[in-house]
Amino acid sequence: MPDMIRYGNKKVGLTLLAAGGALTFLGIMMLFNKFLLRLGNFLLIGGVPMTIGPGKTAGYFLQPKKARATGCLFTGIFLVVIGWARIGIALEIFGLLNLFGNMFPFLMVFLKQMPIVGTILKSGSNGSSNNKKQRGSRYQNEDNDYQQQGGQDDYYYGDQGGRDDEPYY
């Protein structure tokens, strides 16, 4: 077996991934063009093992804890191939978010360190913690009243008669 197939070739794999992503995006923009979506899916399927190698690809996608996400992804690809593009793309997106959702925090940290993108992300509404207001407890006033009374709650312990004087409805 040739080494390119066994271990993968990053240049070819990344080219396949980029072309597959572009064709899939173009297929969605052209109102779910079935031909472009099918071609994009086939290129993406070929690009992932070529980029990281077939062994690592199988090891990642066939983990038991990722079985649901992998099943959704491949079911979505199958639905796109047989012609149900909208449902297939929705399942693919759900599967991809479940497969790679834990990488989004790392991606945000990486993007915030980039020169131009980082300044845009840091100055946005979800920016640094220096711009956030300090929020207190929802029950802050009640907590302060309780502490001022020395920790005793008159309603439950006594001076005003408690709950027994009120009717139960």
Side-chain angles (χ1 to χ4, degrees):
M1 185 179 285
D3 285 342
M4 186 170 102
I5 294 173
R6 184 180 302 154
Y7 300 113
N9 185 347
K10 288 189 180 183
K11 288 181 183 179
V12 174
L14 290 175
T15 304
L16 289 174
L17 284 174
L23 287 173
T24 302
F25 180 74
L26 189 62
I28 291 171
M29 289 294 114
M30 294 183 74
L31 301 176
F32 294 93
N33 185 326
K34 294 175 186 176
F35 176 74
L36 291 175
L37 290 173
R38 287 177 187 149
L39 189 58
N41 276 337
F42 289 139
L43 291 176
L44 287 171
I45 289 172
V48 172
M50 287 298 288
T51 303
I52 62 175
K56 289 181 182 178
T57 302
Y60 185 78
F61 283 101
L62 299 178
Q63 293 177 14
K65 65 181 178 179
K66 297 183 186 221
R68 181 183 67 177
T70 303
C72 284
L73 178 67
F74 286 119
T75 303
I77 290 171
F78 176 73
L79 289 175
V80 167
V81 169
I82 65 170
W84 294 4
R86 290 188 175 116
I87 298 170
I89 290 294
L91 270 176
E92 284 182 33
I93 290 171
F94 180 75
L96 286 173
L97 287 176
N98 280 325
L99 277 171
F100 303 111
N102 58 350
M103 293 183 191
F104 288 127
F106 299 112
L107 180 65
M108 284 302 293
V109 169
F110 175 72
L111 289 175
K112 284 183 180 180
Q113 293 175 354
M114 293 180 71
I116 296 171
V117 179
T119 56
I120 293 171
L121 289 175
K122 288 179 184 175
S123 66
S125 63
N126 293 333
S128 65
S129 61
N130 296 335
N131 296 333
K132 293 182 182 177
K133 294 180 181 178
Q134 293 292 329
R135 292 183 58 190
S137 171
R138 179 186 310 184
Y139 305 106
Q140 188 171 6
N141 292 335
E142 289 87 355
D143 291 342
N144 289 340
D145 292 341
Y146 183 75
Q147 290 173 355
Q148 288 174 358
Q149 295 174 2
Q152 290 184 341
D153 193 351
D154 293 333
Y155 185 72
Y156 293 107
Y157 293 114
D159 294 342
Q160 298 173 354
R163 292 185 181 181
D164 296 332
D165 295 340
E166 299 173 8
Y168 179 74
Y169 291 105

